[in-house]
Structures are given as C-alpha cells and as structure tokens.
Amino acid sequence: MKLLFLACLSPKTGNHTTAERIRSHIESAGHTCELRDAAEFQSPAEVANLVSQNPPFEGALAIHLYRAGRLLLDIQVPFGVIFGGTDINEDVKVEQKRVVMEQVLLKARFAVAFTSKMKEEAEFFLLSQSSKIYVQPQGIQTEVKEKFCWTEFLRSSGVSMEHVDELRVFLLVCGLRRVKDPLYLVEVFSEWHCENPLNVLVIIGPKIDPALTVEVGAVVQSRGLHGPGEEPTGASCCREKVLRRGQQLCLGGHVSSHLGGHGPRGARVGQGHSRECSCSAA
C-alpha cells in the first residue's frame, strides 16, 4: 500500500520524532510511506492533486487534526489522524479551528490518541466520535552508549555526589522553547530540592529557543544553582557551562508521560536519534 503521511516536521520536535518512528514502522511492514511536511501545502486541493498522481496514493495519515488533518479533507482515499497535544490544549479553544477539526474527525476512517485522557478530552470538546478514537500509548525505548557513566553524568551536571545512591532523579526530556517552557517546573522543583537536596531534576534537550535558554539560566542562577564544580559568573554563562557538559545519549521513542524515576535505574527517557544532549541540574 502507498500512503501519504503529513505532519509538522520542525527540526528537533516531538512531532518530527514521532512521525519518523511511525513512518519507519509502516515501511517495515512492507508498505510505502511518503512523509511530507504539512507546511509545504497551502490548501487541501494541493494535497488532493498529490494523492491522485500516478501511481496514486491508496491512503493517508496525519498528525494533528488541524495543522495537517485539514489538508486531507478533499482527498478521495481513506485516511486516519493522530491527535497531538496542540489539538486538545490549544486549537479547540479557537472556534474556527474547532469546526475544521470536527470535519476532519467526521471524515477520518479512524483517530488515534496517545492517552485515555486525550481521548476523553477529544470526546468532550469535539463532536462525539468515540467509536473512531483508539488509544494507543507511545512506546519508550531507552539505550545508553557503552561508555556512558551515570555517576559521571550527574557529577558533570553539578549534582552533589555525597549521597548518590539515595538520590531521587527526575529526568525531563524537552527542547527548550516557549511552548514547552520548563521554567515553572524549575522554580517549583528548586523549592522542593531546597527542602530535600536528594530530589534532583535534570533537563535534557536541544536549545531550540536561545532567548529562553538564557532565561532558564537566569532562574537557575537566582535559585543558587550552578553548573559543574564552579560558581556561576552570569546567567547565560552559568547555563552555557552546563549545556556544554551534556553527555551524548542514544534515546529512542518519544516522551509520552511525565518523566520521573528513583535512582539511576528509575529514570525514563524519550526522543529519537543520538544527539548532543544538554542538561541542567536543579
């Protein structure tokens, strides 16, 4: 089967990672899957023309009902859609977008939600199509490089090693950008850390928004937290010292839940492909 797959493919985002993972799975099952960025198309008519090309596509798939699913409304082949967080958290609040999303859901052969809560919210905000919505949690696969040392990773992140076996490490994997702003978490968690220094938060992810990266650094400094083994000399400097000491991890899958764990074996991570990871210890 030849499938068209539309998604928002901004670099270093969860959507991109998820789309590549699904595309790989479809192709491993023996199908042809052409993954395209939804931003390439201006209207459903353009996608309809693409689908009807020779040889034609036999089906389609999209991540996000509004951002990508709306582009499938004019095609004459069956298609499925996958809910994204933006669908339920943002787009349903805009009446014009909500109407379009309902049209997409009505025409779709099926819809996938990654959590039961997301399905419940979709049924609440959109026209009830519960029989079409299937819950399919995302898998998380964790692989560590052979030379990776958890203790050294924590030490290089500025974490006190005095009671390393008793640490409760919470690992947050996210690109530093405004829509995924971790500042509120840093501020609250730092208070918890001050009450009990064994509670440690580590943030790993690419610096998508440089301005926000500096802002996070300012919060880290203001809380008296600093990079590995040296006092901070400025907000951005403090943050950059931590970022440069990030370890290279091999992370497979995509984050599908709050990432937390107890000790080195309890941390759960997501995000596909090897990359230089940045980290900040709170």
Side-chain angles (χ1 to χ4, degrees):
M1 178 179 289
K2 183 180 179 182
L3 296 173
L4 174 65
F5 190 5
L6 296 183
C8 299
L9 301 180
S10 300
K12 301 179 181 179
T13 60
N15 276 346
H16 200 163
T17 299
T18 297
E20 286 288 358
R21 178 171 54 82
I22 295 175
R23 178 197 59 77
S24 177
H25 179 75
I26 292 173
E27 292 187 341
S28 68
H31 305 289
T32 299
C33 182
E34 184 172 324
L35 178 59
R36 300 285 293 270
D37 192 342
E40 296 179 24
F41 306 97
Q42 300 300 316
S43 68
E46 292 183 19
V47 176
N49 290 334
L50 174 63
V51 169
S52 61
Q53 70 180 14
N54 192 24
F57 287 90
E58 301 168 80
L61 188 64
I63 297 179
H64 282 301
L65 272 70
Y66 183 78
R67 293 183 174 184
R70 63 187 175 87
L71 296 170
L72 302 179
L73 286 174
D74 286 353
I75 65 175
Q76 301 304 311
V77 297
F79 68 86
V81 290
I82 301 170
F83 282 100
T86 304
D87 286 328
I88 303 303
N89 297 325
E90 299 295 335
D91 289 344
V92 293
K93 301 174 184 177
V94 181
E95 179 65 16
Q96 182 181 5
K97 292 182 178 181
R98 187 185 60 78
V99 170
V100 173
M101 291 166 65
E102 288 179 343
Q103 294 174 351
V104 172
L105 190 55
L106 283 169
K107 188 172 181 179
R109 181 71 62 87
F110 65 88
V112 173
F114 291 137
T115 66
S116 297
K117 187 176 189 309
M118 183 176 287
K119 176 181 177 179
E120 293 171 1
E121 291 179 339
E123 293 170 347
F124 177 79
F125 288 113
L126 304 172
L127 292 175
S128 180
Q129 293 288 320
S130 58
S131 61
K132 284 186 177 182
I133 304 176
Y134 299 86
V135 176
Q136 185 171 342
Q138 295 198 75
I140 300 176
Q141 179 181 351
T142 304
E143 297 178 0
V144 181
K145 292 191 59 138
E146 292 181 1
K147 296 181 180 180
F148 177 78
C149 175
W150 175 256
T151 301
E152 179 57 32
F153 172 73
L154 293 178
R155 180 182 292 109
S156 68
S157 302
V159 177
S160 172
M161 307 304 292
E162 185 176 354
H163 303 285
V164 63
D165 293 333
E166 301 176 31
L167 289 176
R168 289 181 290 270
V169 181
F170 294 80
L171 188 62
L172 172 64
V173 181
C174 71
L176 291 178
R177 53 189 175 125
R178 190 66 59 182
V179 70
K180 303 288 186 180
D181 186 1
L183 277 178
Y184 76 97
L185 180 60
V186 171
E187 293 171 346
V188 173
F189 197 99
S190 66
E191 296 177 0
W192 191 28
H193 170 76
C194 291
E195 295 174 3
N196 186 346
L198 295 178
N199 298 322
V200 177
L201 171 66
V202 176
I203 299 175
I204 293 180
K207 298 179 290 182
I208 299 177
D209 184 341
L212 180 62
T213 300
V214 173
E215 193 174 337
V216 172
V219 172
V220 170
Q221 183 191 31
S222 69
R223 294 286 178 174
L225 310 168
H226 53 84
E230 45 191 302
E231 292 300 318
T233 56
S236 60
C237 179
C238 163
R239 179 63 184 166
E240 288 302 316
K241 287 174 184 174
V242 177
L243 294 174
R244 284 199 300 270
R245 287 167 171 76
Q247 302 291 329
Q248 189 174 24
L249 307 177
C250 294
L251 307 174
H254 176 56
V255 181
S256 63
S257 63
H258 295 293
L259 300 172
H262 298 279
R265 298 186 182 278
R268 295 172 292 164
V269 292
Q271 297 277 26
H273 313 302
S274 300
R275 65 163 66 102
E276 286 295 325
C277 293
S278 59
C279 60
S280 173

